[in-house]
Amino acid sequence: MQNPKRIRPLLIAEAANPEWTSVPLVGWSHSRAIQSLTGGHIVTQIRNQAAFERAGVDPSDYTTIDSESIAKPLYRFAEVLRGGSNKGWTTVAAVQTVSYRYFEHLVWQKFEKRLRSGEFDIVHRITPLSPTTPSSIAAKLAKLGIPFIIGPLNGGLPWPREFNAARRREREWLSYIRGAYKLLPGYRSTRRNAAAIICGSIATLDQMPKWCRDKCVYMPENAIDPARFPEPKAKLAMHPMRVAFVGRLVPYKGADMLLEAAAPLIKTGLVTVDIIGDGPELLRLQEIVQREGIEAGVDFAGWVPHEKLHERLEKAHVLGFPSIREFGGAIVLEAMALRLVPIVINYGGPGELLSTDSGIAIPIGNRECIVRDFRAALTGLCGDWHRIDNMATNARNRVISQFTWQTKAASVLELYQRVRR
């Protein structure tokens, strides 16, 4: 087999930051894992430079691109359009598509000569993750004979029709016409000129046109770093069963449904719930707790720094995560690594991460059905410590064997080799 060190990819990760969560953490973790197996060089936005320096990355291993003259004003513009903090994410993604085009323009200016000289074997765009963001350099690389890989792409999961009210509360007006991005300049060119397209979810794979499906590879978006998640201590098999919710407190995350599902079990002392996160739904959630009379069994922890989150989760037995529109589900993998049994909605990314013996996936439905099924799942686990322990062990084993960044990087390296052949 060819020595992987001979493969030198240029890794474009506009968002890549070890100190942040969501897409920047994916960009950082994925690009660094690939870099550890290859001679890769990372290109990122200048806003990430300080974090790279604090992480001790060799300056020769990465290049920063200063696109702030366009990115900053467009970010402010998106903040106005979205109609409030933690809302209108489709609008934000649409505006960021414009700023990314400028970022990629600067990348080409910086690296064109080095690409033409044959310094890099492959160009891999890792972030942005959005399938709506085209690449202006895909066609240029094709003319140079340099394979271009894009992904993991993840997004575009349709809003469940049962939750149109939540959609309006999220101010997701552009989601009604989101499919129009397929008509934008660069949509077909990006896919036509890509040597491979990594799809981070089944939903994203299903959105791909049939004419480019043969170059698509399914690879879940998220993974974990085992160094951050050592084998947790054994958890006490005693009442109450502790359930944790982690996420932004916004309508589609469904923390309200978890509270209503768990309310009867909280009242009888069988369950406690930790709500870890912050957001505009906090007041509404507190009102639910007061109305149900379950204050003694619910703790609002607020926002917890990512590096300290595992300390909080280690005390829980179950992750209750009824998000109705989740693309990836990083928190599900992190909870599984910490030996929590996840209960999720089987719609989008989270349901794809579980097996039947490592978690519980609830069918998507209307609000009443989800509350009912979540309550049934919680009731079925209460007191059955043997089942909880078995599922928790299976959950951790599944993550450690299949969902680490090194495992993912190894799969990407195999893809590089296939593309080169």
Side-chain angles (χ1 to χ4, degrees), residues 49-93:
Q49 181 170 346
F52 270 63
E53 291 173 351
R54 285 190 289 269
V57 184
D58 190 318
S60 65
D61 286 340
Y62 70 97
T63 298
T64 58
I65 300 293
D66 187 355
S67 59
E68 290 292 81
S69 62
I70 297 295
K72 272 189 177 180
L74 282 177
Y75 176 79
R76 297 191 190 103
F77 180 57
E79 288 295 292
V80 174
L81 288 181
R82 72 192 304 185
S85 178
N86 284 312
K87 297 180 185 295
W89 288 101
T90 306
T91 302
V92 174

Side-chain angles (χ1 to χ4, degrees), residues 398-410:
R398 180 173 172 82
V399 170
I400 297 302
S401 64
Q402 299 183 35
F403 293 101
T404 67
W405 288 114
Q406 287 301 116
T407 300
K408 182 189 286 283

Side-chain angles (χ1 to χ4, degrees), residues 192-267:
R192 183 175 63 249
N193 290 298
I197 303 170
I198 302 174
C199 297
S201 67
I202 297 297
T204 300
L205 181 61
D206 289 342
Q207 294 170 35
M208 289 296 164
K210 291 183 179 179
W211 54 264
C212 69
R213 195 71 63 87
D214 61 339
K215 63 177 70 176
C216 293
V217 178
Y218 169 64
M219 189 181 300
E221 168 192 331
N222 294 110
I224 63 110
D225 178 2
R228 288 192 61 245
F229 299 92
E231 182 73 38
K233 299 176 182 178
K235 298 181 182 182
L236 297 178
M238 59 183 293
H239 294 302
M241 182 177 75
R242 300 190 64 164
V243 180
F245 167 91
V246 183
R248 291 179 294 114
L249 303 185
V250 293
Y252 80 87
K253 293 286 185 177
D256 58 323
M257 293 188 289
L258 173 62
L259 289 174
E260 293 193 17
L265 301 171
I266 296 173
K267 290 176 182 178

Side-chain angles (χ1 to χ4, degrees), residues 86 169-170 235 241-262 266 271-286 288-289 297-305 308-326 329-332 334-335 338 340-345 350 367 370 374 378:
N86 284 312
R169 284 162 58 204
E170 293 277 2
K235 298 181 182 182
M241 182 177 75
R242 300 190 64 164
V243 180
F245 167 91
V246 183
R248 291 179 294 114
L249 303 185
V250 293
Y252 80 87
K253 293 286 185 177
D256 58 323
M257 293 188 289
L258 173 62
L259 289 174
E260 293 193 17
I266 296 173
V271 164
T272 62
V273 175
D274 290 341
I275 302 294
I276 304 173
D278 201 358
E281 288 286 283
L282 176 59
L283 181 59
R284 181 166 173 262
L285 298 176
Q286 291 172 333
I288 292 173
V289 169
V298 178
D299 179 43
F300 289 96
W303 179 79
V304 175
K308 295 184 177 181
L309 182 59
H310 70 281
E311 298 174 8
R312 186 91 188 193
L313 287 181
E314 280 182 344
K315 302 174 183 178
H317 304 101
V318 174
L319 175 74
F321 193 63
S323 178
I324 58 162
R325 189 172 180 262
E326 201 71 27
I331 187 58
V332 178
E334 294 184 3
L338 293 170
L340 274 70
V341 178
I343 306 177
V344 304
I345 303 295
R367 194 178 191 284
I370 290 175
F374 248 82
L378 291 170

